[in-house]
mmCIF file of all heavy atoms in Angstrom:
data_model
loop_
_atom_site.group_PDB
_atom_site.id
_atom_site.type_symbol
_atom_site.label_atom_id
_atom_site.label_comp_id
_atom_site.label_asym_id
_atom_site.label_seq_id
_atom_site.Cartn_x
_atom_site.Cartn_y
_atom_site.Cartn_z
ATOM 1 N N ALA B 126 3.440 8.117 -16.478
ATOM 2 C CA ALA B 126 3.720 9.364 -15.563
ATOM 3 C C ALA B 126 2.638 10.408 -15.539
ATOM 4 O O ALA B 126 2.193 10.739 -14.438
ATOM 5 C CB ALA B 126 5.110 9.916 -15.998
ATOM 6 N N PRO B 127 2.140 10.889 -16.634
ATOM 7 C CA PRO B 127 1.115 12.044 -16.328
ATOM 8 C C PRO B 127 -0.135 11.428 -15.798
ATOM 9 O O PRO B 127 -0.648 12.164 -14.892
ATOM 10 C CB PRO B 127 0.907 12.545 -17.803
ATOM 11 C CG PRO B 127 1.296 11.460 -18.659
ATOM 12 C CD PRO B 127 2.289 10.520 -18.023
ATOM 13 N N LEU B 128 -0.686 10.299 -16.266
ATOM 14 C CA LEU B 128 -2.004 9.957 -15.843
ATOM 15 C C LEU B 128 -2.127 9.414 -14.385
ATOM 16 O O LEU B 128 -3.074 9.698 -13.758
ATOM 17 C CB LEU B 128 -2.486 8.779 -16.860
ATOM 18 C CG LEU B 128 -3.973 8.342 -16.748
ATOM 19 C CD1 LEU B 128 -4.872 9.517 -16.787
ATOM 20 C CD2 LEU B 128 -4.275 7.224 -17.648
ATOM 21 N N ARG B 129 -1.144 8.714 -14.046
ATOM 22 C CA ARG B 129 -1.130 8.257 -12.535
ATOM 23 C C ARG B 129 -1.111 9.453 -11.576
ATOM 24 O O ARG B 129 -1.687 9.350 -10.593
ATOM 25 C CB ARG B 129 0.144 7.243 -12.312
ATOM 26 C CG ARG B 129 1.338 7.841 -12.294
ATOM 27 C CD ARG B 129 2.370 6.999 -11.523
ATOM 28 N NE ARG B 129 3.754 7.619 -11.551
ATOM 29 C CZ ARG B 129 4.581 7.310 -12.387
ATOM 30 N NH1 ARG B 129 4.393 6.344 -13.369
ATOM 31 N NH2 ARG B 129 5.884 7.983 -12.418
ATOM 32 N N GLU B 130 -0.354 10.440 -11.977
ATOM 33 C CA GLU B 130 -0.387 11.692 -11.027
ATOM 34 C C GLU B 130 -1.713 12.444 -11.135
ATOM 35 O O GLU B 130 -2.300 12.871 -10.115
ATOM 36 C CB GLU B 130 0.736 12.669 -11.514
ATOM 37 C CG GLU B 130 2.042 12.065 -11.673
ATOM 38 C CD GLU B 130 3.158 12.458 -10.732
ATOM 39 O OE1 GLU B 130 3.368 13.636 -10.752
ATOM 40 O OE2 GLU B 130 3.679 11.508 -10.013
ATOM 41 N N GLN B 131 -2.367 12.511 -12.355
ATOM 42 C CA GLN B 131 -3.613 13.121 -12.477
ATOM 43 C C GLN B 131 -4.670 12.337 -11.741
ATOM 44 O O GLN B 131 -5.556 12.991 -11.088
ATOM 45 C CB GLN B 131 -3.906 13.180 -14.000
ATOM 46 C CG GLN B 131 -3.141 14.213 -14.791
ATOM 47 C CD GLN B 131 -3.162 13.944 -16.285
ATOM 48 O OE1 GLN B 131 -3.812 13.009 -16.746
ATOM 49 N NE2 GLN B 131 -2.376 14.789 -16.967
ATOM 50 N N LEU B 132 -4.675 10.996 -11.710
ATOM 51 C CA LEU B 132 -5.611 10.177 -11.006
ATOM 52 C C LEU B 132 -5.441 10.497 -9.542
ATOM 53 O O LEU B 132 -6.498 10.607 -8.849
ATOM 54 C CB LEU B 132 -5.476 8.750 -11.357
ATOM 55 C CG LEU B 132 -5.967 8.218 -12.673
ATOM 56 C CD1 LEU B 132 -5.511 6.741 -12.921
ATOM 57 C CD2 LEU B 132 -7.501 8.352 -12.748
ATOM 58 N N ALA B 133 -4.250 10.617 -9.037
ATOM 59 C CA ALA B 133 -3.977 10.752 -7.621
ATOM 60 C C ALA B 133 -4.556 12.196 -7.272
ATOM 61 O O ALA B 133 -5.136 12.358 -6.152
ATOM 62 C CB ALA B 133 -2.589 10.592 -7.342
ATOM 63 N N TRP B 134 -4.311 13.160 -8.088
ATOM 64 C CA TRP B 134 -4.802 14.521 -7.753
ATOM 65 C C TRP B 134 -6.358 14.536 -7.821
ATOM 66 O O TRP B 134 -7.034 15.121 -6.977
ATOM 67 C CB TRP B 134 -4.308 15.560 -8.757
ATOM 68 C CG TRP B 134 -2.928 16.045 -8.408
ATOM 69 C CD1 TRP B 134 -1.817 15.803 -8.954
ATOM 70 C CD2 TRP B 134 -2.549 16.916 -7.289
ATOM 71 N NE1 TRP B 134 -0.683 16.338 -8.334
ATOM 72 C CE2 TRP B 134 -1.215 17.039 -7.265
ATOM 73 C CE3 TRP B 134 -3.392 17.509 -6.273
ATOM 74 C CZ2 TRP B 134 -0.527 17.937 -6.355
ATOM 75 C CZ3 TRP B 134 -2.732 18.286 -5.170
ATOM 76 C CH2 TRP B 134 -1.250 18.465 -5.279
ATOM 77 N N ALA B 135 -6.908 13.708 -8.753
ATOM 78 C CA ALA B 135 -8.414 13.692 -8.933
ATOM 79 C C ALA B 135 -8.998 13.094 -7.740
ATOM 80 O O ALA B 135 -10.030 13.420 -7.304
ATOM 81 C CB ALA B 135 -8.708 12.768 -10.215
ATOM 82 N N THR B 136 -8.324 12.062 -7.137
ATOM 83 C CA THR B 136 -8.802 11.506 -5.900
ATOM 84 C C THR B 136 -8.935 12.489 -4.676
ATOM 85 O O THR B 136 -9.983 12.673 -4.047
ATOM 86 C CB THR B 136 -7.835 10.419 -5.330
ATOM 87 O OG1 THR B 136 -7.629 9.409 -6.368
ATOM 88 C CG2 THR B 136 -8.285 9.674 -4.151
ATOM 89 N N LEU B 137 -7.903 13.373 -4.496
ATOM 90 C CA LEU B 137 -7.823 14.393 -3.488
ATOM 91 C C LEU B 137 -8.821 15.414 -3.773
ATOM 92 O O LEU B 137 -9.657 15.767 -2.998
ATOM 93 C CB LEU B 137 -6.424 14.970 -3.467
ATOM 94 C CG LEU B 137 -6.087 16.033 -2.418
ATOM 95 C CD1 LEU B 137 -6.326 15.335 -0.953
ATOM 96 C CD2 LEU B 137 -4.738 16.723 -2.585
ATOM 97 N N ILE B 138 -8.820 16.016 -5.012
ATOM 98 C CA ILE B 138 -9.730 17.087 -5.316
ATOM 99 C C ILE B 138 -11.074 16.645 -5.433
ATOM 100 O O ILE B 138 -12.051 17.311 -4.861
ATOM 101 C CB ILE B 138 -9.226 17.899 -6.547
ATOM 102 C CG1 ILE B 138 -7.782 18.458 -6.335
ATOM 103 C CG2 ILE B 138 -10.222 18.989 -6.995
ATOM 104 C CD1 ILE B 138 -7.132 18.834 -7.527
#
Side-chain angles (χ1 to χ4, degrees):
Chain B
L128 188 55
R129 68 162 179 262
E130 312 245 303
Q131 287 161 4
L132 283 172
W134 278 109
T136 304
L137 181 64
I138 296 164

